Amino acid sequence: MINKLKAGYVYMKDWPLEDYLNPVFAENRVKKSMNFANKVIPPLLFLTIIWSLYIGGYFKGVPFIYALSLNLEATIACLFVLCIIPVQGLYWFYRRSITPLNEKQQMFYRTLCKKLDHTFTLMPTMRDLEVEINYGLKKLSKDFLKEL
């Protein structure tokens, strides 16, 4: 499972944020959401713990252990849900990276490989397409993305 999450992270990190790709692929939107979640979730974790202590009466003189134990189950559930959100995103990126291309995407992939003088695979995946798009962005102008 860890290797799948790492593969999802690599795919997310390498996916180009180009405006021409927005209408065709969901990766841009999910990547932006994941970056936002990575900024927002740590403060939410902290606020969840502080809120639990507040509800338990810690700031009114109740001992720490007792204040935390009053809402322990709800606090753990909230922390678990907040921590699992980025994991779900990375797993989505992994599943997306091994998804086979549809016919239109395969045609674009093959024409892009021909333009770049690369050999193409018979059953390309989204990861293969991402690698070729990144290479094409380095070697060609962005106009090749309009063919999508």
Side-chain angles (χ1 to χ4, degrees), residues 106-118:
Q106 282 184 10
M107 288 176 35
F108 175 75
Y109 171 76
R110 288 188 179 116
T111 57
L112 182 58
C113 285
K114 287 177 186 175
K115 287 181 184 178
L116 297 171
D117 293 327
H118 287 167

Side-chain angles (χ1 to χ4, degrees), residues 1-15 31 34-35 38 86-87 89-95 97 127 130:
M1 184 68 173
I2 299 294
N3 291 335
K4 291 179 181 180
L5 295 178
K6 285 181 183 178
Y9 177 75
V10 169
Y11 181 69
M12 179 186 76
K13 182 180 61 110
D14 292 344
W15 183 262
K31 184 175 181 176
M34 286 288 296
N35 290 336
N38 288 336
V87 174
L90 292 177
Y91 188 72
W92 182 88
F93 271 106
Y94 163 73
R95 294 292 301 166
S97 72
R127 177 70 178 160
E130 176 262 324

Side-chain angles (χ1 to χ4, degrees), residues 137-148:
L137 287 172
K138 291 176 187 172
K139 299 294 179 186
L140 305 171
S141 67
K142 293 182 182 181
D143 294 334
F144 76 93
L145 294 175
K146 292 179 182 176
E147 296 173 15
L148 278 169

Side-chain angles (χ1 to χ4, degrees), residues 52-105:
S52 175
L53 292 174
Y54 176 76
I55 294 296
Y58 175 70
F59 298 112
K60 294 180 182 175
V62 176
F64 176 78
I65 299 297
Y66 183 72
L68 191 61
S69 67
L70 287 176
N71 300 320
L72 189 60
E73 297 84 8
T75 303
I76 290 174
C78 289
L79 294 176
F80 177 74
V81 168
L82 286 173
C83 290
I84 204 71
I85 292 171
V87 174
Q88 288 176 332
L90 292 177
Y91 188 72
W92 182 88
F93 271 106
Y94 163 73
R95 294 292 301 166
R96 184 72 172 180
S97 72
I98 62 172
T99 302
L101 299 179
N102 62 30
E103 290 183 25
K104 185 176 180 183
Q105 292 169 342

